[in-house]
Amino acid sequence: RFSNNEERLFDTTVLTEAVFEPLKDLDIVSHPVLEHGVVTWLDSSIDCSPEYMYENSFEYNKKDIISVA
């Protein structure tokens, strides 16, 4: 959920730089931590700004989401 209370989906596959390579591992990407409003992974060694995530996300209907867990 973003600061404007919107819930949006972000596709991490847009993170193509080498620093984001570990996010291809489902065990890593599925365990984000929110630190001071920033989404982080791997004990904050990888992060993504909320502005980037918002700009590269999309609205969705929760009823249309299929869990793959």
Side-chain angles (χ1 to χ4, degrees):
R1 181 175 299 198
F2 291 90
S3 60
N4 62 1
N5 282 331
E6 280 187 65
E7 290 186 23
R8 299 172 63 94
L9 287 180
F10 176 74
D11 181 359
T12 58
T13 63
V14 301
L15 303 174
T16 57
E17 294 83 6
V19 68
F20 297 114
E21 189 73 21
L23 298 182
K24 290 181 179 178
D25 183 329
L26 188 57
D27 289 332
I28 294 172
V29 74
S30 62
H31 292 94
V33 175
L34 189 63
E35 293 189 19
H36 308 289
V38 177
V39 177
T40 68
W41 295 269
L42 290 176
D43 296 325
S44 299
S45 64
I46 300 174
D47 64 51
C48 190
S49 75
E51 295 84 4
Y52 184 86
M53 293 184 86
Y54 186 85
E55 291 170 5
N56 292 280
S57 64
F58 55 92
E59 296 179 34
Y60 70 99
N61 185 331
K62 287 183 181 180
K63 295 184 301 183
D64 296 334
I65 301 301
I66 298 171
S67 176
V68 294

